[in-house]
Amino acid sequence: MNREKVLSIRDLSISFQTAAGAVNAIRGVKLDLYKGETLAIVGESGSGKSVTVKAIMGILSGNGQVTSGTIDFTYKRGEETVHQDLLKLTKREMRRRINGKRIAMVFQDPMTSLNPTMPIGKQIMEGMRCHYKTPKEEAYKKAVNLLTMVGITEPEKRMRCYPHQLSGGMRQRVVIAIALSCDPEVLICDEPTTALDVTIQARILELIREIQKNTGISVIYITHDLGVVAKVADYVAVMYAGKIVEKGLAEEIFYDPRHPYTWGLLSAMPDLDASDEVLYTIPGSPFNLLNKGKGDAFADRNAYALAIDYRLEPPMFQVTDTHYAATWLLHKNAPPTPMPKELKARILRMRKEAD
Ligand code: ADP
Ligand code: MG
C-alpha cells in the first residue's frame, strides 16, 4: 500500500496562560494524515482533540501558544508539490491560503458557523467567490450541486432558505457543503454529529464516507465516542491528557488494543446486543493538566498501573509498523497483562458481527 502523507505533525506542544498558571494542553503529539484516509482522534472531553486541530487551522485562542513542533502540510499547486509548515504562516496567510480553501473545518454546532441573516445559497457561494473569484453563475451552479451531493432535496429552493428554516441535520449538511465548496484537500470534522440524534448521526457519517469515496479527500474526524469511529476510521489515535496514548489502524485499535485507557474506552462503548448490561465507565476523572506531577498522567485511574507509572512517563512502544501504545505494560520486563476478559469476549462478538 502506497500511502501519501498529507499532514505530518511532529513534537507538537501547546500551552495556555490562565489565571491559575500555564496549562500544558498538548504534550509532544506526533501524528500523520494520509491521502484519502480518515484519521479519527478519540478521547474524553478535555483530552486536547480540539486544541490539536485548532493548531492545524491556526485558530488557537489568544492565550494559547505553540511551544514546540511542526505541522507539515503537503499539497499540489498546479504540477508543483508544496511542503509547508503551517506553524510558520501568519494568521493572515492561513486565512488567505489555507483555511477554507485547502483545509476546511466542520464544527459540532452548525449554528456557530452559519450566518443567521444570510440565505444558505449565498453562504455556500461566498468561499468560491472570495478564494477563487468564481463567476456568480458558476458558483451558483456549484452550490446547487453541493447541496445535492450532501443529500438536500429541492436544492434550488433551499438556496434561498435561512439557517433557522432548516432542521439541525439539514444545517449540518449545509455546513459540510460550505466546507467542501473550495475543494479542500483536508476536511476536519470536530464532533460534527454530537448534537444530533442517533439516526441523523448515522446518516451524516455515511455522507462523509461517501463524499470521501467520491472525492479522495483526507478527513480528520474527532469524537469522544469510539463507537462512531468504527464506521468511519482508517486510522485511530487515542488521546489522554494532551498526549497520544495509542494509535493504530482501526482494526488494531478495535481488535487488539494494548493501552488500559483504550480498554476502558472500548468497555464503555454502548453494546447494542446486551442492552440491559450496566455500562462500564473509566473510574476517576480526567486529568488536571495544571497539577502535572511525575509519572504517567493516567496512573491514578489505571487499574493495571505498575510502580514505574508513578515515577516515569511511558514512551511509545511499537506493536506493529502501524500500531503504537504508550504503556509500560508493553515493556519487555512488565508482567504479562491481558485485557479484561469481558472486553475480550466483547471484541470476539464485534469481530463475528463484522465478518
Ligand atoms: P477536547 O478533547 O474536549 O476537544 P480541548 O482540546 O478543547 O479538549 O481542550 C483540551 C484542554 O486544553 C482543556 O482541558 C483545557 O484545559 C485546555 N484549554 C483549551 N482551550 C483553552 C483556553 N482557551 N484557555 C485555557 N485552557 C484551555
Ligand atoms: Mg473538543
Side-chain angles (χ1 to χ4, degrees):
M1 192 167 39
N2 197 6
R3 298 162 86 203
E4 242 177 273
K5 252 180 222 174
V6 177
L7 276 172
S8 183
I9 303 177
R10 289 294 173 272
D11 188 32
L12 180 67
S13 296
I14 296 169
S15 65
F16 291 95
Q17 292 308 321
T18 71
V23 174
N24 299 315
I26 303 298
R27 304 179 296 134
V29 163
K30 174 180 176 187
L31 205 51
D32 293 307
L33 173 67
Y34 291 89
K35 191 169 165 45
E37 296 191 7
T38 296
L39 162 68
I41 306 180
V42 258
E44 287 166 300
S45 167
S47 54
K49 307 180 298 294
S50 294
V51 170
T52 303
V53 293
K54 281 182 183 165
I56 298 173
M57 301 290 284
I59 53 171
L60 285 174
S61 48
N63 62 332
Q65 200 197 349
V66 175
T67 52
S68 76
T70 52
I71 301 179
D72 279 315
F73 178 41
T74 303
Y75 62 95
K76 281 254 188 258
R77 192 165 50 203
E79 288 303 296
E80 181 195 6
T81 301
V82 183
H83 301 278
Q84 172 70 57
D85 179 358
L86 296 178
L87 296 176
K88 297 232 159 65
L89 296 178
T90 62
K91 287 207 168 195
R92 190 182 142 87
E93 287 168 324
M94 281 299 288
R95 267 198 311 274
R96 286 184 37 201
R97 287 164 47 188
I98 307 290
N99 287 0
K101 188 175 179 184
R102 298 193 176 272
I103 305 181
M105 188 148 166
V106 172
F107 295 92
Q108 176 180 331
D109 177 7
M111 274 324 238
T112 58
S113 32
L114 290 173
N115 179 344
T117 65
M118 198 192 274
I120 59 155
K122 196 161 176 212
Q123 297 189 52
I124 300 171
M125 290 159 64
E126 218 174 27
M128 302 177 238
R129 304 272 292 145
C130 134
H131 283 304
Y132 291 108
K133 312 279 172 262
T134 310
K136 212 165 181 177
E137 294 86 280
E138 197 184 320
Y140 181 88
K141 260 197 217 145
K142 186 156 176 197
V144 172
N145 285 341
L146 282 163
L147 283 178
T148 311
M149 177 161 152
V150 298
I152 290 184
T153 52
E154 300 185 89
E156 306 226 13
K157 191 169 130 199
R158 302 287 183 197
M159 291 282 283
R160 295 188 298 273
C161 286
Y162 288 86
H164 69 89
Q165 294 172 300
L166 304 172
S167 68
M170 286 295 153
R171 286 202 284 260
Q172 196 55 294
R173 284 166 193 264
V174 170
V175 173
I176 293 171
I178 293 173
L180 296 172
S181 64
C182 292
D183 303 314
E185 276 93 343
V186 178
L187 177 67
I188 299 177
C189 302
D190 191 352
E191 313 233 16
T193 63
T194 308
L196 304 171
D197 79 47
V198 182
T199 345
I200 297 171
Q201 273 189 30
R203 285 205 209 115
I204 297 281
L205 285 174
E206 261 166 50
L207 171 67
I208 292 171
R209 206 58 182 154
E210 211 165 287
I211 288 167
Q212 191 174 31
K213 252 188 252 150
N214 297 335
T215 59
I217 198 170
S218 312
V219 177
I220 298 180
Y221 195 96
I222 291 185
T223 175
H224 60 272
D225 179 358
L226 255 178
V228 162
V229 161
K231 297 191 193 76
V232 290
D234 297 295
Y235 200 83
V236 179
V238 179
M239 276 192 98
Y240 186 78
K243 285 195 144 186
I244 309 272
V245 295
E246 181 160 12
K247 56 184 178 176
L249 298 173
E251 64 222 40
E252 292 174 322
I253 299 300
F254 281 95
Y255 297 156
D256 188 24
R258 297 302 182 98
H259 198 290
Y261 181 64
T262 313
W263 294 348
L265 286 180
L266 284 166
S267 304
M269 254 166 60
D271 192 329
L272 297 176
D273 282 348
S275 50
D276 53 354
E277 200 176 27
V278 178
L279 212 59
Y280 171 84
T281 51
I282 303 172
S285 45
F287 193 71
N288 182 350
L289 295 161
L290 275 169
N291 319 326
K292 178 70 195 110
K294 282 196 299 189
D296 183 11
F298 186 55
D300 284 336
R301 301 174 70 191
N302 184 359
Y304 305 90
L306 305 171
I308 192 171
D309 279 300
Y310 294 94
R311 286 189 282 115
L312 216 58
E313 283 197 275
M316 270 289 188
F317 289 93
Q318 184 167 11
V319 181
T320 70
D321 278 354
T322 43
H323 188 182
Y324 297 81
T327 164
W328 285 116
L329 294 179
L330 290 175
H331 189 275
K332 62 180 183 347
N333 297 343
T337 311
M339 70 175 82
K341 331 192 263 314
E342 302 79 20
L343 179 59
K344 182 124 205 169
R346 176 172 227 195
I347 288 174
L348 280 173
R349 273 204 309 278
M350 290 196 314
R351 291 197 85 141
K352 247 195 218 135
E353 272 164 44
D355 283 345

